[in-house]
Amino acid sequence: MLVIRKSTIEGKGLFTDSPIAARAKVGEFSGERISIREARRRAKERKHISMVELDHKEALDGSVGGGPFNFINHSCNPNVFIRIAYRRVEFYAKRHIAAGEEMTVDYDISHHDGGLRCRCKSADCRDFI
């Protein structure tokens, strides 16, 4: 089961209260389907961005009708990865995730455009998102 609570990385984070096996599907990102143009316009107006671009035409804005994956924080050494297929955004465990552990994903290319200081504290930290 997924739990949202205070994160040591940033604000609230997404945690699991039970172990998750490596490569297991953890869940899906949800939100309002919008154009890329609208996604980029909205991203410029927000401090906290919860969007995923599906392709060169469409994105999901998790801040509108989204679920618990809005709270998954970035890490340069994440325990979860994203798979985008068939206009769906799926999250999978990269490795075994222990009960109580915060789930993180590498935002990689994001609307932050390298302007947001990373707070993951990983040994592999790239310093900016």
Side-chain angles (χ1 to χ4, degrees), residues 14-64:
L14 185 61
F15 295 78
T16 178
D17 67 356
S18 55
I20 299 173
R23 310 298 286 178
K25 183 176 177 181
V26 180
E28 291 188 30
F29 189 82
S30 58
E32 178 185 14
R33 287 186 183 275
I34 56 175
S35 69
I36 291 296
R37 183 180 201 160
E38 177 63 12
R40 292 180 181 168
R41 185 193 68 76
R42 290 181 187 184
K44 288 179 184 176
E45 299 173 348
R46 297 182 183 162
K47 180 180 176 187
H48 296 282
I49 302 168
S50 182
M51 289 188 219
V52 177
E53 293 186 7
L54 301 173
D55 54 30
H56 67 282
K57 294 181 182 178
E58 194 173 39
L60 284 177
D61 183 351
S63 65
V64 181

Side-chain angles (χ1 to χ4, degrees), residues 56-114:
H56 67 282
K57 294 181 182 178
E58 194 173 39
L60 284 177
D61 183 351
S63 65
V64 181
F69 287 94
N70 289 347
F71 297 95
I72 195 164
N73 278 316
H74 165 83
S75 175
C76 297
N77 186 18
N79 55 14
V80 172
F81 68 92
I82 295 175
R83 177 179 176 258
I84 299 173
Y86 308 105
R87 300 176 61 215
R88 298 168 71 133
V89 180
E90 302 172 329
F91 291 82
Y92 292 85
K94 241 180 126 166
R95 59 165 174 77
H96 172 81
I97 302 173
E101 189 175 350
E102 181 170 7
M103 292 188 287
T104 58
V105 69
D106 186 345
Y107 291 173
D108 194 28
I109 299 169
S110 77
H111 290 277
H112 297 294
D113 292 327

